[in-house]
């Protein structure tokens, strides 16, 4: 079982919000503004207006398996599960629930009229047809419950650890524990609701019926001893583990879930990877985790944080416990009270002994190295239970939920890549091995699963033509192009600039010479830099803010005026500590455009990529779509149209109190759709809905949308946008109704606040990358070609969605972007909308390739990430390995971000 004790990742997602309910956010009082009074008609995701026709047909497989469902009049009965100990305390630990319910089923099968259960491991249990009684109460006795609750009182440990020995004879032969189980009827769900889901008639019942099927899949895997993470399952099979260093392993498993699609119910199976703590001796984990070679070098404060809540098996008794901490003193100094019988009248004397002596002398266990190390504490906060560290081993399949280092992450990505063919065979194999057809509960639900991938028809859209400088055309092929012998279409001039070097080792003079030569070839006028400012070697180890301030002191004292551009050389590529404070100083305080680079392997291609970024930041454009230059974009070129990209980025796992960062990116200089600006705000940690789109204060509005609208107006010849196209990233299907009711309302409010009489038309599209649908070519081992779009067979039975692979998948298996058109007042035809989305994957100024998701969404990620580095976050590693320390949404005041200087506010600083 998943022993992840943080937020319950091991629960299935909550049932989606029923279509007629808008949940009210706890911390967002604005959503209660008069505009949201319940009298307003609710918006729902729009229905599909038709299918796209453009493009060359291509036959594909999708990793969906068709599911046939027998029609039935039966009902799923939902029962709430209440688990208590004998003394009526509620059971709090996880993991024991499944054991108790399994035993309940064995013990009382005839009283329960032999019913099969679908149990989610927590509080919900489903049966097909009702249980004989309405209220069912049972007592269940489990033998050897190794939840760490069974250690004898007194002091350290269970039957084979201190404190247990004096009572051995008085105990039952097994450690047993009684539980009271109540099953209370909660609801009944017609199984015919599965058919409703497939027809796209979504109701609470249809969502709930699919949830029951997903719970059956989870239970099926739990019975095979898997670690469960939402709908993904991981077997304890060392063949599936890859070592990522630092005591962390990547563990490969499978996602599987039921989805209603146009061609009926399907089972979606995909490869999934999670991180686990390396099983085995605790000391080995600590040495690897802290990258030290001897126990004497271990930082025990860090060790305590890393071990908290992990489960260990303690030898020689082999009992399982949860670590609550470490002893304050070393094993050979840590005392505890041991009760020993004295010979005559059976009374017990209490003597003080060290943990070390107890194990070595009383138990006769040889301890090789733990005498001078702290003990593992597996007891209660007030009643410790100690084991020497060398007797403890971490049990397998425990999730590691801290942020990975850059090295670990790249290692994980590299080791979990699979080519399309390999992935297909692994998935087919997974389905056969899972043996779902044998599951009694699936059988009883009338479900059988096909053994082959679903065949779907896709279409390959033509790549858009691009324009370079001097009126030259660019014809992208296979999702890429280049500027060989071509100039950029609109170039900036780089003047009044300087170079700063934060101790990067490189030949600065040569670098500048090559940069200027490459700039000239692309039509960028780049003057000689005014100066090169080297960091003084004595400052290399200084606090980072001092290093940045000192560099600016140098610049101020030596330059005649403020520079217009600074090229900044950094000593390391990823996560350089200077990056955030440097960007903040340049962009927020001084309004200076800056480009950082870590010059390691510098060649002309590298320098061209750097120049693409510099040109975009300084107001140039590298290439334009031909339909943008001529202007001929359907519906967009005729009417002033603003394109908005919105994203919220959250702190990494384990940084629970790091604020979330919301970014709104918007197009400017209509009829262009290649130029953007960004505004960024912080909001409460983990809050997915954007809380700062519209923030009225008297006659002012401090929201993100107002800035975008005003900038569009001033940059587009004093035209207000009559059409607003919004791309929203990263929300799950259960939040769609909130996006089109709460967020869209705030955007409409912001427009009304600017001008009461102005009512533009809106389209809102969600872009999703983390879903589990993949496509494979039927006649080729390669990834699907760029421009592939799918809107049939595996899409939603009613709603308007499509999958798009705009980019060329170079490594691994292409992950399509799933676009959901939730709302469209503008009236795009399916073809026009799909073409627009495809085109917007070709306007990304940082590269000469089509990207996998529309550029405004990509820019919103970049802006949020870059401005996020302005805030200092300590490494929140106090959270233990097996949980991020979570705070409830909206519970703490969030630090404000500094505003960008007006000189750079409308630039593409994020490029």
């Amino acid at each position: 079982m998943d022993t992840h004790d943080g937020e319950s990742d091991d629960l299935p997602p909550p049932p989606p919000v029923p279509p007629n309910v808008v949940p009210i956010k706890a911390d967002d009082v604005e959503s209660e503004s008069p505009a949201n009074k319940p009298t307003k008609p609710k918006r729902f995701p729009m229905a599909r207006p038709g299918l796209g026709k453009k493009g060359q047909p291509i036959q594909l497989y999708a990793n969906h398996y068709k599911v046939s469902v027998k029609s039935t009049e039966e009902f799923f009965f939902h029962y709430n599960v209440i688990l208590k100990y004998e003394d009526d305390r509620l059971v709090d630990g996880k993991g024991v629930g499944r054991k108790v319910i399994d035993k309940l089923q064995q013990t009382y099968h005839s009283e329960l009229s032999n019913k099969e259960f679908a149990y989610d491991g927590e509080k919900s249990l489903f049966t097909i047809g009702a249980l004989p009684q309405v209220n069912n109460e049972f007592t269940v006795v489990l033998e050897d419950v190794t939840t760490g609750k069974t250690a004898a009182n007194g002091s350290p440990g269970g039957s084979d650890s201190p404190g247990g020995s004096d009572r051995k004879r008085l105990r039952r032969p097994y450690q047993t524990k009684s539980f009271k189980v109540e099953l209370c009827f909660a609801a009944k769900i017609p199984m015919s609701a599965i058919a409703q889901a497939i027809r796209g008639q979504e109701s609470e019942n249809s969502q709930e019926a699919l949830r029951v099927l997903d719970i059956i899949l989870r239970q099926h895997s739990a019975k095979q001893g898997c670690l469960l993470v939402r709908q993904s399952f991981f077997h304890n099979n060392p063949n599936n583990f890859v070592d990522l260093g630092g005591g962390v392993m990547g563990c490969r498993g499978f996602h599987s879930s039921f989805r209603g699609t146009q061609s009926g119910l399907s089972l979606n199976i995909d490869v999934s990877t999670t991180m686990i703590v390396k099983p085995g001796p605790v000391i080995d984990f600590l040495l690897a985790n802290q990258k030290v070679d001897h126990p004497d070098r271990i930082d025990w404060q860090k060790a305590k944080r890393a071990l908290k809540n992990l489960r260990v098996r303690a030898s020689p008794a082999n009992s399982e416990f949860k670590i609550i901490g470490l002893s304050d003193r070393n094993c050979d100094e840590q005392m505890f009270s041991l009760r020993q019988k004295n010979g005559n009248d059976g009374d017990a004397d209490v003597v003080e002994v060290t943990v070390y002596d107890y194990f070595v002398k009383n138990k006769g266990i040889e301890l090789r190295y733990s005498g001078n190390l702290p003990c593992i504490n597996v007891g209660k906060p007030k009643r410790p239970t100690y084991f020497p560290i060398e007797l403890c081993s971490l049990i397998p399949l425990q999730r590691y939920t801290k942020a990975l280092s850059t090295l670990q992450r790249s290692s994980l990505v590299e080791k979990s890549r699979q080519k399309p063919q390999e992935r297909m065979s692994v998935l087919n194999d997974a389905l056969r091995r899972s043996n779902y057809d044998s599951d009694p509960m699936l059988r009883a639900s009338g479900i059988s699963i096909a053994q082959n991938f679903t065949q779907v028809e896709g279409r390959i859209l033509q790549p858009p033509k691009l324009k370079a400088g001097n009126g030259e055309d660019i014809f992208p092929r296979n999702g890429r192009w280049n500027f060989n012998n071509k100039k950029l279409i609109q170039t900036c001039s780089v003047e009044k600039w300087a170079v700063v070097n934060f101790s990067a080792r490189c030949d600065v003079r040569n670098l500048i010479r090559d940069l200027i030569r490459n700039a000239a070839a692309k039509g960028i006028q780049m003057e000689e830099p005014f100066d090169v400012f080297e960091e003084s070697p004595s400052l290399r180890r200084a606090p980072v803010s001092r290093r940045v301030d000192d560099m600016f002191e140098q610049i101020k004292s030596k330059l005649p005026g403020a520079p217009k551009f600074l090229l900044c050389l950094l000593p390391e590529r990823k996560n350089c500590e200077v990056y955030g404070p440097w960007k903040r100083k340049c962009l927020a305080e001084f309004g200076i455009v800056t480009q950082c680079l870590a010059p390691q392997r510098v060649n002309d291609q590298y320098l061209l990529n750097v120049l693409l970024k510099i040109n975009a930041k300084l107001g140039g454009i590298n290439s334009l779509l031909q339909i943008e230059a001529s202007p001929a974009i359907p519906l967009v070129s005729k009417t002033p149209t603003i394109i908005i990209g919105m994203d919220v980025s959250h702190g990494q796992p384990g940084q629970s109190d790091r604020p979330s960062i919301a970014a709104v990116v918007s197009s400017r200089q209509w009829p262009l759709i290649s130029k953007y600006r960004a505004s960024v705000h912080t909001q409460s940690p983990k809050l997915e809905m954007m809380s700062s789109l519209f923030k009225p204060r008297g006659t002012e509005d401090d929201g993100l949308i107002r800035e975008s609208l005003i900038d569009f107006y001033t940059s587009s010849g004093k035209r207000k946008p009559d059409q607003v196209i919004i791309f929203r990233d990263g929300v799950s299907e259960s939040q769609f109704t909130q996006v089109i009711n709460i967020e869209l309302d705030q955007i409409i409010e912001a427009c009304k606040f600017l001008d009461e009489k102005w009512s533009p038309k809106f389209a809102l599209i969600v872009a999703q990358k983390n879903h589990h649908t993949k496509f494979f070519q039927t006649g080729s081992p390669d990834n699907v070609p760029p421009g592939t779009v799918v809107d049939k067979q595996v899409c939603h039975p009613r709603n308007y969605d499509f999958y798009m692979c705009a980019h060329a998948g170079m490594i691994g298996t292409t992950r399509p972007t799933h676009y959901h058109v939730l709302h469209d007042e503008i009236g795009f035809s399916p073809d026009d909308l799909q073409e627009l989305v495809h085109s917007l994957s070709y306007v990304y100024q940082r590269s000469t390739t089509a990207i996998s998701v529309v550029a405004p969404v990509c820019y919103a990620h970049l802006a949020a990430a870059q401005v996020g580095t302005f805030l200092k976050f300590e490494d929140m590693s106090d959270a233990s390995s097996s949980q991020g320390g979570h705070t409830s949404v909206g519970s703490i005041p969030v630090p404000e971000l500094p505003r960008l200087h007006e000189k750079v506010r409308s630039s593409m600083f994020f490029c």
Side-chain angles (χ1 to χ4, degrees):
M1 263 306 296
D2 187 352
T3 55
H4 180 48
D5 287 295
E7 279 176 320
S8 48
D9 267 342
D10 45 357
L11 280 177
V17 181
N20 49 355
V21 180
V22 174
I24 289 169
K25 297 208 298 299
D27 80 324
D28 192 11
V29 191
E30 283 126 35
S31 61
E32 283 290 83
S33 67
N36 281 304
K37 285 225 173 91
T39 51
K40 287 190 57 182
K42 273 272 310 211
R43 293 186 198 95
F44 300 110
M46 67 183 284
R48 185 184 303 282
L51 296 169
K53 308 228 174 6
K54 278 190 178 173
Q56 175 195 340
I58 178 173
Q59 290 303 311
L60 305 168
Y61 290 122
N63 58 342
H64 286 230
Y65 297 87
K66 287 209 164 91
V67 175
S68 55
V69 188
K70 290 201 182 75
S71 64
T72 168
E73 299 301 302
E74 287 277 10
F75 286 83
F76 285 126
F77 278 71
H78 178 184
Y79 294 88
N80 284 333
V81 179
I82 301 165
L83 295 182
K84 295 177 182 167
Y85 297 113
E86 277 173 301
D87 58 4
D88 282 336
R89 281 179 307 129
L90 285 173
V91 173
D92 52 352
K94 285 208 189 139
V96 78
R98 288 193 193 274
K99 291 179 189 160
V100 173
I101 296 296
D102 281 349
K103 190 69 196 279
L104 169 80
Q105 214 170 354
Q106 289 166 24
T107 317
Y108 298 101
H109 61 97
S110 51
E111 291 90 322
L112 296 163
S113 52
N114 292 323
K115 286 229 175 284
E116 294 295 340
F117 291 167
Y119 176 49
D120 71 352
E122 298 276 324
K123 298 197 168 59
S124 295
L125 183 143
F126 298 87
T127 57
I128 295 173
L131 292 175
Q133 304 89 285
V134 177
N135 275 351
N136 298 273
E137 291 194 27
F138 305 94
T139 301
V140 172
V141 177
L142 280 193
E143 272 137 29
D144 186 33
V145 182
T146 51
T147 54
K149 303 270 186 299
T150 52
N153 273 346
S155 57
S159 59
D160 265 279
S161 61
S165 54
D166 55 322
R167 259 167 278 165
K168 251 187 214 152
R169 269 172 236 93
L170 315 178
R171 272 223 192 103
R172 304 174 199 148
Y174 284 108
Q175 298 184 10
T176 59
K177 190 140 213 174
S178 294
F179 294 89
K180 295 180 183 169
V181 184
E182 285 176 50
L183 305 179
C184 312
F185 172 73
K188 60 185 212 174
I189 305 147
M191 288 171 71
S192 56
I194 299 170
Q196 276 182 323
I198 303 166
R199 289 197 297 272
Q201 301 163 326
E202 287 196 354
S203 64
E204 203 163 344
N205 274 338
S206 67
Q207 292 291 350
E208 198 63 7
L210 288 188
R211 196 185 101 168
V212 178
L213 296 183
D214 280 347
I215 286 170
I216 298 173
L217 294 181
R218 287 171 55 78
Q219 171 175 281
H220 184 83
S221 292
K223 288 193 166 150
Q224 298 174 348
C226 290
L227 160 65
L228 310 185
V229 184
R230 292 180 287 276
Q231 283 301 129
S232 294
F233 315 123
F234 303 91
H235 285 270
N236 184 19
N237 174 355
N239 294 339
N240 300 338
F241 301 164
V242 290
D243 202 323
L244 305 177
V248 184
M249 322 268 298
C251 175
R252 188 179 288 168
F254 299 95
H255 164 94
S256 75
S257 63
F258 287 102
R259 296 185 69 84
T261 68
Q262 291 139 308
S263 52
L265 189 63
S266 70
L267 178 69
N268 177 204
I269 298 191
D270 193 20
V271 176
S272 176
T273 306
T274 192
M275 278 77 67
I276 57 172
V277 172
K278 193 171 181 171
V282 168
I283 198 78
D284 293 355
F285 167 73
L286 291 176
L287 293 172
N289 187 248
Q290 300 194 10
K291 301 185 178 52
V292 293
D293 55 3
H294 194 277
D296 295 349
R297 298 215 174 89
I298 289 174
D299 170 341
W300 291 100
Q301 276 317 102
K302 247 191 194 164
K304 186 171 168 180
R305 292 197 296 259
L307 291 174
K308 191 168 185 213
N309 292 329
L310 290 176
R311 302 185 81 87
V312 286
R313 188 158 273 128
S315 61
N318 236 358
S319 324
E320 194 182 299
F321 301 101
K322 183 156 111 185
I323 299 178
I324 67 157
L326 298 172
S327 59
D328 297 332
R329 317 185 64 158
N330 288 345
C331 182
D332 53 11
E333 297 167 352
Q334 181 67 52
M335 309 293 282
F336 71 94
S337 310
L338 176 65
R339 299 171 64 173
Q340 285 186 323
K341 290 205 181 61
N342 57 24
N344 40 17
D345 54 3
D347 281 351
D349 298 335
V350 174
V351 293
E352 292 290 310
V353 294
T354 66
V355 176
Y356 182 85
D357 285 347
Y358 172 80
F359 275 92
V360 173
K361 294 181 182 154
N362 296 36
K363 288 269 173 253
I365 294 167
E366 184 196 357
L367 293 179
R368 295 193 325 282
Y369 60 79
S370 18
N372 60 347
L373 304 178
C375 305
I376 301 279
N377 180 2
V378 298
K380 287 268 187 299
K382 296 265 187 299
R383 250 194 8 245
T385 300
Y386 297 120
F387 280 103
I389 202 160
E390 71 189 76
L391 299 183
C392 297
S393 271
L394 291 165
I395 65 168
L397 290 185
Q398 302 191 73
R399 282 186 78 197
Y400 178 85
T401 56
K402 282 233 211 51
L404 292 180
S405 68
T406 311
L407 235 65
Q408 286 172 323
R409 177 169 295 135
S410 58
S411 167
L412 178 68
V413 168
E414 196 181 327
K415 290 173 176 168
S416 48
R417 265 189 216 132
Q418 288 172 315
K419 286 261 174 257
Q421 292 296 86
E422 187 191 349
R423 184 163 287 219
M424 280 174 82
S425 68
V426 166
L427 293 177
N428 281 322
D429 196 41
L431 178 65
R432 285 186 194 46
R433 275 219 212 120
S434 67
N435 198 8
Y436 286 137
D437 288 345
S438 69
D439 190 285
M441 199 63 192
L442 282 179
R443 281 227 296 274
S445 310
I447 281 202
S448 60
I449 299 162
Q451 292 293 305
N452 319 349
F453 281 160
T454 300
Q455 198 156 350
V456 301
E457 187 178 295
R459 291 168 289 112
I460 308 167
L461 302 180
Q462 282 293 314
K465 292 192 190 67
L466 302 173
K467 292 298 248 190
N470 300 338
E472 290 199 67
D473 291 331
I474 301 177
F475 300 97
R477 291 191 46 193
N478 198 22
R480 37 195 341 115
W481 62 95
N482 61 54
F483 282 107
N484 294 351
N485 311 321
K486 294 187 175 69
K487 295 198 165 20
L488 307 182
I489 192 165
Q490 286 177 20
T491 53
C492 61
S493 54
V494 185
E495 53 190 30
K496 295 192 180 150
W497 71 287
V499 180
V500 301
N501 182 9
F502 284 100
S503 307
R505 283 202 288 275
C506 78
D507 181 344
V508 182
R509 289 284 155 220
N510 270 343
L511 178 73
I512 295 166
R513 192 197 61 218
D514 291 345
L515 193 63
I516 292 174
R517 172 174 57 79
N518 276 283
K522 294 293 150 242
I524 297 173
Q525 274 190 305
M526 195 170 202
E527 297 175 357
E528 287 288 329
F530 187 87
D531 205 345
V532 176
F533 299 102
E534 295 278 355
E535 178 173 55
S536 85
S538 61
L539 280 172
R540 245 174 241 186
R541 303 265 176 283
V544 63
S545 55
R546 217 186 117 208
R547 295 171 68 184
V548 171
D549 289 346
D550 182 79
M551 194 61 89
F552 262 94
E553 287 311 315
Q554 279 199 60
I555 294 169
K556 280 187 203 155
S557 64
K558 294 191 186 151
L559 289 187
K564 289 194 172 166
F565 172 70
L566 289 170
L567 185 71
C568 170
L569 307 181
L570 297 175
E572 60 262 348
R573 267 191 59 215
K574 287 270 195 279
N575 302 344
C576 178
E577 60 169 9
V578 179
Y579 181 87
W582 172 257
K583 286 283 183 188
R584 177 175 181 147
K585 196 85 165 166
C586 289
L587 295 173
E589 280 186 45
F590 292 100
I592 300 168
V593 173
T594 170
Q595 174 62 51
C596 293
L597 59 103
Q600 276 149 6
R601 290 190 295 279
V602 176
N603 54 25
D604 282 3
Q605 183 59 55
Y606 177 89
L607 292 173
L608 172 62
N609 288 345
V610 170
L611 286 162
L612 293 178
K613 288 157 63 85
I614 293 173
N615 191 47
K617 287 177 181 181
L618 287 170
I621 301 181
N622 302 327
S623 59
L624 283 175
L625 299 166
Q626 197 174 6
I627 48 172
E628 179 181 21
S630 58
I633 306 168
L635 298 180
V636 172
S637 300
K638 300 259 185 303
T639 311
T641 303
I642 186 172
I643 298 177
I644 290 177
M646 308 199 310
D647 179 44
V648 177
S649 77
H650 304 291
Q652 293 174 309
Q655 292 184 322
S656 53
D657 36 7
R658 164 172 182 162
S660 293
I661 295 176
V664 169
V665 162
S666 56
S667 62
R668 49 201 315 266
Q669 295 179 19
W670 177 82
L672 297 185
I673 59 169
S674 287
K675 283 201 97 164
Y676 292 86
R677 65 172 313 272
S679 306
V680 184
H681 274 204
T682 46
Q683 57 183 41
S684 301
K686 304 275 181 280
L687 175 65
E688 188 48 69
M689 289 294 113
M690 292 203 156
S691 56
S692 31
L693 294 171
F694 174 52
K695 297 183 95 165
R697 263 191 338 169
T699 55
E700 285 301 303
D701 165 14
D702 296 335
L704 293 168
I705 292 296
R706 181 189 179 94
E707 268 186 54
S708 300
L709 295 171
I710 290 173
D711 176 79
F712 180 91
Y713 181 78
T714 52
S715 69
S716 306
K718 302 240 181 329
R719 290 187 188 82
K720 290 187 193 119
D722 290 323
Q723 297 175 154
V724 180
I725 302 172
I726 302 152
F727 287 96
R728 174 69 159 96
D729 184 45
V731 285
S732 61
E733 289 170 47
S734 58
Q735 295 166 312
F736 286 176
T737 40
Q738 283 174 281
V739 171
I740 44 177
N741 288 285
I742 299 171
E743 289 187 346
L744 183 54
D745 266 357
Q746 288 194 8
I747 295 169
I748 293 169
E749 286 285 297
C751 294
K752 288 270 175 264
F753 200 85
L754 264 176
D755 179 352
E756 192 55 51
K757 295 191 284 296
W758 167 49
S759 41
K761 293 178 171 168
F762 291 90
L764 196 155
I765 299 143
V766 167
Q768 279 179 341
K769 287 280 291 198
N770 39 358
H771 55 83
H772 288 279
T773 296
K774 301 280 191 307
F775 298 110
F776 306 91
Q777 293 200 52
T778 53
S780 154
D782 297 334
N783 268 314
V784 295
T788 300
V789 60
V790 172
D791 60 2
K792 294 187 192 164
Q793 280 116 335
V794 291
C795 292
H796 195 281
R798 173 198 170 271
N799 297 354
Y800 187 8
D801 65 333
F802 59 90
Y803 292 93
M804 168 88 71
C805 302
H807 65 302
M810 304 307 288
I811 42 183
T813 304
T814 299
R815 174 180 295 205
T817 301
H818 193 181
Y819 291 99
H820 302 259
V821 187
L822 300 188
H823 189 78
D824 176 19
E825 300 165 3
I826 298 170
F828 284 100
S829 70
D831 276 327
D832 286 345
L833 192 61
Q834 288 168 15
E835 288 277 12
L836 176 66
V837 165
H838 188 220
S839 297
L840 282 170
S841 305
Y842 279 80
V843 301
Y844 187 61
Q845 298 295 308
R846 288 168 35 129
S847 72
T848 54
T849 59
I851 53 173
S852 63
V853 64
V854 290
V857 157
C858 223
Y859 289 149
H861 280 298
L862 291 172
Q866 185 169 135
V867 178
T869 64
F870 289 13
L871 288 175
K872 282 203 195 67
F873 302 109
E874 310 325 306
D875 175 28
M876 311 282 180
S877 54
D878 287 9
S880 68
S881 298
S882 66
Q883 74 173 70
H886 298 285
T887 37
S888 60
V889 164
S891 58
I892 46 176
V894 175
E896 275 294 320
L897 285 165
R899 281 205 68 170
L900 295 191
H901 194 284
E902 59 197 0
K903 285 201 273 184
V904 293
R905 206 169 284 162
S906 291
S907 74
M908 290 182 66
F909 68 87
F910 44 80
C911 232

